[in-house]
Structure formats: structure tokens, C-alpha cells
Amino acid sequence: DGGFQIVQGADARGGNIVLFMGRQKFDQATKVWSRDSFLAAVTPDGKQAATYAKKENVINMAAPVLDDAAWDTFERRWEVAPDGKVYAATKYDAYEITVFDKAGKVEKVITREYKHLPRTAREKDVMTKAMNFYSKMMPGCKVNIHEEAKDISNFSIRDDGSLWVMTSQGDRNNPKGTMGTYDVFNPEGKFVKTVTLQGEGHPMEDLYVFEKDRFYVVTSFLTAAMSAQGVEGFDAGGEDAEPMSVICYKFEGDAIAAR
């Protein structure tokens, strides 16, 4: 139909291969640009087997508006569980994670009561620079920057089936020597406890990766990602810039959620 697709992420677990896809197209007649973001299961030979969470964004190029909260996707807020089920947090202003079975049917929704937190000055500055960069491609574009942070920043599912959720409360104002606080749910989706990780890392600036009993921190990830896209004000290669590094930690003790 004149559009094209981009693979932006992939995960395979529990016999389920899942891709995070972006489908874009532009309607010349209506001057409307659209983008669909969705999760799709594929078979080993590449055929689509199921569709999970999805989101559509539309811009009228005659009067373009970029609202960062509306355009926020769940690109970094989805994962395939050890049993092949798919988890996704698709809403910006809600503590809500939807769980899909392999076939794409909603099995349950994991929620907690939560109070929205305001963004920091750093967050607003980063998003303003990013949105202004993209708005240059659309003459006359209006940019709206949300005052509040998204409730769920990201999450991960451990091999024991426990769900570890980083929120806007857990990723800021952390004491020195800590890397953020996670809400931990058991495999049935019941909240169990909060866990504060000890070590060097900043959840709003670095990339965190769970892998079995290891926890990886990729430092300066945000600055590097913005710099790679060409966003002004993010020169990751300056003389005074800290070099990127990967720090590996090992989980020990009572780090696993009990049933």
C-alpha cells in the first residue's frame, strides 16, 4: 500500500519469536503521515503467526503537531516471558502491563495504584531537543512536551518468571551507590516486594539489561543514542566525554521473587 516496515527489536523465548515492528506510510491525497507500532509473532520461516500490542500515530502534514507523550511507544517496554507469553506496557500515564498468550489473546493486566511524577529539568531538556530535531522535517510543526514522566520506564522478566518493573519513582532521586529500585511481581502477577540494586549506574542515562543471574549496565547510553541520531546538544565524542563502558553485576542472595 505504498508504505514500508522497519524491524526495531526482536526477542525469542519459550518457543515464541516476536518482533517489534514499525509500519509507516504517507497518503499523498490527504497529506496524512501514519505510523503503526506493533508486536508480531513469526514462525521460523518468517510467516506472521500472531499480533499482540499495537499503537497508531497520525500526523496531518497540513498542520503538524508532535506531542511527545502521544508519540511515545512501547519500544523498550515489552518482553517475551520464559513460557512464551508476551508482556507490554503501552500506556504513558498508567501503571499497566498487559499479558498476551502466544496466540495474541489478552490473558491478564498487571496494575498498581500509582501517582504520576513530574519530569526533571534534564528530562524536559532531552525531550525538547529530540522533538525539535524531528519537527524540523515538518514545516510549521507545533511541539508539545509533557510535564509528567511516564509511569513505567521499562521492565524485565527473569528466568524464574518474576517481573521486575522500573517506574518513574524507582529511576530517580536514588541514594549514592544505588542503581534504582524495582517493583517485583511473582509469575502470577502478584506484587511481592521492592528491590534496590547496589552499584554504579543511572537508570535515566544508562541502559540496563537483565540476563539470567547477571545484570549489565551500558553507561552513557542516552547521550550516545541521541548523538547517533544527530540530535543537537548531544555530542558523545567530545574531548571531555566519558567513554561508554559495560559493567556486569551478578545477582546474589534473595534476589528472586517468591511465589
Side-chain angles (χ1 to χ4, degrees):
D1 57 2
F4 63 93
Q5 295 187 132
I6 305 171
V7 178
Q8 294 179 279
D11 195 10
R13 221 169 174 190
N16 197 12
I17 306 170
V18 181
L19 307 179
F20 182 88
M21 305 285 292
R23 181 188 293 122
Q24 301 180 158
K25 65 179 179 178
F26 180 68
D27 190 319
Q28 291 285 355
T30 62
K31 303 299 181 185
V32 170
W33 182 87
S34 63
R35 177 191 180 99
D36 293 328
S37 299
F38 62 97
L39 292 170
V42 295
T43 59
D45 59 357
K47 295 179 181 179
Q48 187 168 327
T51 301
Y52 307 105
K54 55 185 176 181
K55 182 178 181 181
E56 180 184 27
N57 289 103
V58 175
I59 291 182
N60 179 359
M61 299 305 287
V65 176
L66 273 181
D67 184 297
D68 78 296
W71 275 86
D72 180 78
T73 70
F74 51 98
E75 181 177 354
R76 286 189 58 209
R77 296 184 297 161
W78 70 275
E79 192 159 332
V80 182
D83 58 6
K85 294 176 183 178
V86 177
Y87 290 53
T90 61
K91 296 183 179 179
Y92 184 97
D93 56 355
Y95 194 124
E96 183 177 298
I97 299 174
T98 304
V99 182
F100 301 85
D101 64 18
K102 287 186 178 181
K105 180 181 178 181
V106 175
E107 185 175 278
K108 61 187 172 185
V109 178
I110 299 172
T111 63
R112 281 198 80 194
E113 187 175 335
Y114 193 78
K115 181 180 179 180
H116 308 315
L117 295 184
R119 274 176 161 164
T120 64
R122 165 68 171 170
E123 284 180 280
K124 287 194 243 183
D125 179 58
V126 168
M127 195 51 61
T128 297
K129 288 176 179 176
M131 290 293 102
N132 286 340
F133 172 77
Y134 295 120
S135 69
K136 290 179 181 179
M137 307 173 194
M138 296 172 278
C141 182
K142 180 182 177 181
V143 173
N144 295 328
I145 304 298
H146 207 59
E147 289 295 322
E148 295 176 335
K150 69 181 76 172
D151 290 351
I152 294 178
S153 305
N154 54 65
F155 64 84
S156 186
I157 306 169
R158 302 285 301 280
D159 283 354
D160 67 339
S162 61
L163 169 67
W164 292 54
V165 182
M166 176 69 78
T167 65
S168 57
Q169 185 174 14
D171 67 10
R172 65 197 63 212
N173 301 322
N174 293 300
K176 185 177 181 181
T178 65
M179 299 185 288
T181 299
Y182 283 87
D183 290 347
V184 182
F185 297 78
N186 67 14
E188 288 72 42
K190 179 182 177 181
F191 174 75
V192 177
K193 59 186 176 182
T194 60
V195 174
T196 299
L197 301 184
Q198 309 294 316
E200 298 179 21
H202 194 307
M204 298 172 69
E205 300 289 333
D206 304 330
L207 174 67
Y208 288 176
V209 180
F210 287 82
E211 182 64 30
K212 299 186 183 301
D213 65 344
R214 296 294 195 270
F215 182 79
Y216 295 89
V217 177
V218 183
T219 66
S220 303
F221 184 82
L222 174 63
T223 297
M226 289 294 180
S227 177
Q229 294 183 60
V231 178
E232 295 179 1
F234 290 91
D235 182 8
E239 292 183 3
D240 298 328
E242 287 288 332
M244 291 184 70
S245 60
V246 178
I247 306 171
C248 176
Y249 294 93
K250 182 179 180 180
F251 282 109
E252 293 183 345
D254 182 24
I256 306 301
R259 288 179 179 272

